[in-house]
Amino acid sequence: MRNIDYSGNPNQRTPCVLVLDASGSMNEVSSGHKSRMDELNAGLGTLQLELSADDTALVRVMLGIVSVGGPNNDADIMMDWTDASEFVAFPLKASGTTPLGKGLLLALQMIDEEKRELRAAGISYTRPWIMVISDGEPTDTAAEWESAVKACIRAENNKETEIFSIGVAGANLTKLGQISSKPPLMLSGTKFKDLFIWLSASLSAASRSRPGDVLQLPSTDPWRNVGI
């Protein structure tokens, strides 16, 4: 359910939707005795801790989570818009396929609807983010994927959102590279904790900026390999 408090917290917002691969391949064990999904869930816990330690991010960052695959084998809103101050990490379960295109369209829809809510409430906001994390490739039909790609590129070109794509071992970086002007990055091993520390720091920096500012993000060196 939506957990946003505009009346008690009229601060500028920085919205971010996480589009997370919860397909069956995320159950594969990549390091030690933990699966990729275990590592991802632990990373979400790290994101909660990092945001809770930042007084500005707590009142300015807002998150949504779209799960792709999972028990319903579909793209689902697992967490509607939530202020960082109310964000509590919860475990995702992996199974099914990877309807990533559908998940991206759902994320874009969430952003469009929330921007209308923000404007209606008189709340300023920085450009929303979509962060995609996947260890496979889309299982949408060719037409569905093409529709999602066009919608993502159009949204970026119109400065409606910024899209970041992160590949985990096995990810199709060519497909991920189609959804944004920014090349996808490959997560080194299962460094989800480092990735989410970076995300928290980046969202914190964005929340301190003004709409239209050019933002210098923290280095991705601690967790990435190389893009394409």
Side-chain angles (χ1 to χ4, degrees):
M1 60 182 292
R2 199 166 176 276
N3 199 351
I4 300 293
D5 180 13
Y6 290 145
S7 59
N9 175 13
N11 284 282
Q12 169 184 291
R13 295 302 206 279
T14 295
C16 176
V17 183
L18 305 177
V19 179
L20 304 177
D21 188 338
S23 62
S25 58
M26 289 291 285
N27 281 322
E28 292 184 16
V29 175
S30 298
S31 65
H33 300 290
K34 292 184 177 181
S35 68
R36 294 171 187 166
M37 184 53 69
D38 290 335
E39 298 280 3
L40 175 58
N41 286 330
L44 290 171
T46 297
L47 178 61
Q48 177 189 335
L49 291 174
E50 292 292 317
L51 289 173
S52 67
D54 187 317
D55 291 341
T56 301
L58 271 179
V59 297
R60 291 192 172 191
V61 171
M62 53 195 299
L63 299 171
I65 296 178
V66 171
S67 171
V68 175
N72 294 331
N73 195 22
D74 203 352
D76 298 297
I77 298 176
M78 298 301 291
M79 185 180 79
D80 206 344
W81 288 112
T82 300
D83 281 327
S85 59
E86 302 299 324
F87 172 54
V88 177
F90 56 91
L92 298 176
K93 295 182 179 180
S95 65
T97 57
T98 315
L100 186 58
K102 188 173 181 180
L104 289 166
L105 291 174
L106 193 53
L108 289 171
Q109 178 184 326
M110 287 180 68
I111 285 173
D112 285 343
E113 292 174 353
E114 189 55 33
K115 287 196 292 189
R116 287 196 291 270
E117 294 281 349
L118 288 161
R119 288 193 290 265
I123 305 293
S124 63
Y125 57 90
T126 60
R127 192 177 305 175
W129 290 11
I130 296 175
M131 172 163 277
V132 185
I133 302 176
S134 177
D135 76 335
E137 64 178 282
T139 54
D140 312 88
T141 66
E144 289 170 338
W145 179 247
E146 182 180 358
S147 176
V149 167
K150 288 181 177 179
C152 288
I153 295 301
R154 182 169 58 248
E156 271 207 334
N157 288 343
N158 292 338
K159 302 186 185 306
E160 296 168 1
T161 187
E162 291 284 352
I163 300 174
F164 301 85
S165 54
I166 313 299
V168 184
N172 185 329
L173 294 186
T174 300
K175 285 290 183 70
L176 286 178
Q178 294 173 353
I179 62 176
S180 172
S181 59
K182 295 178 288 299
L185 296 176
M186 177 62 78
L187 191 67
S188 178
T190 53
K191 293 186 177 179
F192 286 103
K193 179 179 179 180
D194 295 319
L195 168 62
F196 281 106
I197 289 173
W198 174 88
L199 176 60
S200 176
S202 299
L203 288 172
S204 176
S207 71
R208 287 171 166 78
S209 66
R210 295 176 297 180
D213 282 354
V214 176
L215 186 64
Q216 181 67 44
L217 296 179
S219 170
T220 59
D221 288 343
W223 58 265
R224 72 165 181 151
N225 281 342
V226 294
I228 59 171

